[in-house]
Amino acid sequence: MKSGMMRLLGALLFGASMQAANAGEVSAAVAANFTEPMERIVKLFQAESGHTVRVSLGSTGKFYSQIQNGAPFDVLVAADEKMPLRLEKEGLAVEGSRFVYAVGKLALWSAQPGLVDGKGAILRKGNYNKLAIGDSKLASYGTAAKEALEEFGLWNAVQGKLVTGENITQTYQFAATGNADLAFVALSQIVKDGKVTEGSYWIVPSHLYNPIRQSAVELSAAKDKAAIRAFLAFLKSEKAKAVIRSFGYELPK
Amino acid sequence: MSGIDPLDLQSLWLTLKLASVTTLILLCVATPLAWWLAHNRRWYKGPVAAVVALPLVLPPTVLGFYLLLLMGPQGAVGELTRALDLGTLPFTFTGLVVGSVLFSLPFAVHPIQNAFESLGRRPLEVAVTLRAGAWDRFFSVALPLAKPGFLTAIILAFAHTVGEFGVVLMLGGNIPGETRVLSVAIYSHVEAVEYGAAHLLAGGMVLFSFVVLLGLYLAGGKSWKGGR
């Protein structure tokens, strides 16, 4: 018992001294759909590296405007490829640092068990009050939802029932509070450790929308280069990949 | 950037409609409440006054989120509205009105309450000696004398509703023509990097606010002119 305590104390002291030696801080702008996996990845990374990560959550579009206007972020963990690419072209992101860290999957979800069938037929039947989607101009999952509805030929038919979330978190919230019967969300929002525990859902087949290639990029404004690069390397590591997979994302081929 | 997008015009119209309806309802709700607060000396006056002032300090997003839960199908208000066959209120114009009334309540109550309080008891006592009934005293004595307070309340409630954002964002769902008000439209434009359209609306908003506040000042809000 006592020796265990001593060992723990020793480890803590050792950890603290390690941290003091090379502790950096990373400030990350993270797309809302990646909230929970990011929490876990950050925990693992902080324990392993001694660096700390400050996470801001929001929609990729908003971060783009903020970064354009000098927001002090070091890295953008986006929900698409477009915005990181745009930042690179504008010289706001470091050339060659961009990579796809996860491929997102779209799901139709309801908080009510048994409402959503395994084919998404409820969309055609129309026996629901509201359908929440992300803003297709701002959120890549909103764009994907729009594409899928267009593929179904239902985009015009659902107009009267659409409510738009400011980002994918709010979209999920509309359905989680029961105010909207249905929502197109990121699969990662309803998957916990590889399975969906609440409500009913349908994973939208990936041929119905353009792949959501979620990319991360190092920003030119970053100061602590060592900490950023360690973080980005960690995001590509097997440990991070295991977390990403457990939330229902696919990994880039 | 050529002129104004019809969707944005719709947002402008919706915003003015929301502000007008909210202001009218607030007048009906705030007047008796302000009268009661001005003339009450009981112990529960304090708690009631505190509740009325709560929207001044609560972040609008908090208010919006609680309303979303309350008015949702599992919430108390939601169950009531469904029992009355009204459906649920979030994502509807009615829901926004409910949120706005709560959000701007102190802005309507406080000026009217102050006006009633500064009236004192004397004019009303004189009216009693002239055999005026309670309603008569209220409508022919208190109301005309408290006019500046009412004017301030109307302008503040209206302007505050026009500038409202957090509550609408949480409750509205951004539906064009139903819940997509001006502040949300501006926000969407900024987010989508459509700065031209955002400037047009935001600039208009600044101008409007300035005119309203100038009007408020010229209409002689006494407290504004250094008089205490």
Side-chain angles (χ1 to χ4, degrees), chain B:
Chain B
M1 189 67 240
S2 57
I4 190 165
D5 170 356
L7 262 180
D8 287 342
L9 270 182
Q10 195 183 34
S11 297
L12 175 69
W13 172 237
L14 188 71
T15 305
L16 295 176
K17 191 170 105 177
L18 178 67
S20 312
V21 173
T22 302
T23 307
L24 274 177
I25 293 178
L26 271 173
L27 274 183
C28 303
V29 173
T31 307
L33 197 56
W35 182 259
W36 185 87
L37 283 168
H39 296 282
N40 206 297
R41 297 282 167 272
R42 296 206 176 83
W43 65 268
Y44 46 82
K45 174 186 169 170
V48 173
V51 169
V52 169
L54 217 48
L56 287 175
V57 289
L58 275 185
T61 43
V62 170
L63 195 65
F65 182 62
Y66 279 136
L67 285 173
L68 187 67
L69 289 177
L70 266 178
M71 305 199 297
Q74 282 99 37
V77 179
E79 280 178 4
L80 179 74
T81 52
R82 277 175 34 171
L84 296 171
D85 223 20
L86 297 167
T88 49
L89 295 178
F91 317 134
T92 63
F93 181 74
T94 314
L96 289 197
V97 171
V98 172
S100 308
V101 165
L102 283 173
F103 184 52
S104 293
L105 187 66
F107 289 83
V109 171
H110 290 164
I112 300 176
Q113 187 188 339
N114 288 339
F116 284 153
E117 280 171 355
S118 63
L119 218 64
R121 306 199 76 71
R122 185 101 186 100
L124 297 171
E125 283 164 0
V126 170
V128 172
T129 61
L130 296 171
R131 300 220 182 110
W135 286 104
D136 190 17
R137 288 202 295 275
F138 178 78
F139 282 104
S140 19
V141 180
L143 218 51
L145 284 170
K147 206 166 113 189
F150 276 92
L151 202 64
T152 307
I154 288 170
I155 293 178
L156 279 182
F158 190 90
H160 195 235
T161 307
V162 168
E164 188 181 337
F165 174 66
V167 178
V168 180
L169 187 76
M170 299 302 281
L171 278 183
N174 203 348
I175 304 166
E178 180 81 26
T179 59
R180 192 189 162 137
V181 297
L182 213 48
S183 58
V184 174
I186 292 175
Y187 181 70
S188 298
H189 282 312
V190 171
E191 294 256 285
V193 204
E194 294 161 350
Y195 292 160
H199 277 311
L200 193 72
L201 294 184
M205 204 83 144
V206 170
L207 197 69
F208 167 82
S209 312
F210 176 76
V211 169
V212 166
L213 293 171
L214 187 69
L216 190 64
Y217 181 75
L218 294 179
K222 282 197 184 95
S223 55
W224 289 44
K225 291 193 172 170
R228 284 222 173 267

Side-chain angles (χ1 to χ4, degrees), chain A residues 195-211:
Chain A
K195 54 180 185 293
V196 180
T197 50
E198 267 175 66
S200 51
Y201 70 102
W202 169 57
I203 298 176
V204 182
S206 45
H207 66 269
L208 292 172
Y209 57 93
N210 287 315

Side-chain angles (χ1 to χ4, degrees), chain A residues 164-246:
Chain A
T164 310
E166 188 260 318
N167 61 40
I168 205 71
T169 307
Q170 204 197 9
T171 308
Y172 169 81
Q173 188 187 77
F174 283 157
T177 55
N179 281 297
D181 285 339
L182 301 178
F184 274 110
V185 296
L187 183 61
S188 57
Q189 292 175 289
I190 54 173
V191 166
K192 303 280 176 287
D193 298 316
K195 54 180 185 293
V196 180
T197 50
E198 267 175 66
S200 51
Y201 70 102
W202 169 57
I203 298 176
V204 182
S206 45
H207 66 269
L208 292 172
Y209 57 93
N210 287 315
I212 302 169
R213 292 167 55 81
Q214 302 195 188
S215 308
V217 71
E218 179 187 333
L219 299 173
S220 310
K223 290 191 183 53
D224 190 342
K225 293 288 182 200
I228 304 296
R229 303 227 162 120
F231 177 70
L232 288 175
F234 189 81
L235 196 54
K236 293 176 194 168
S237 73
E238 285 310 313
K239 271 188 191 172
K241 281 179 178 166
V243 173
I244 293 169
R245 248 190 239 108
S246 77

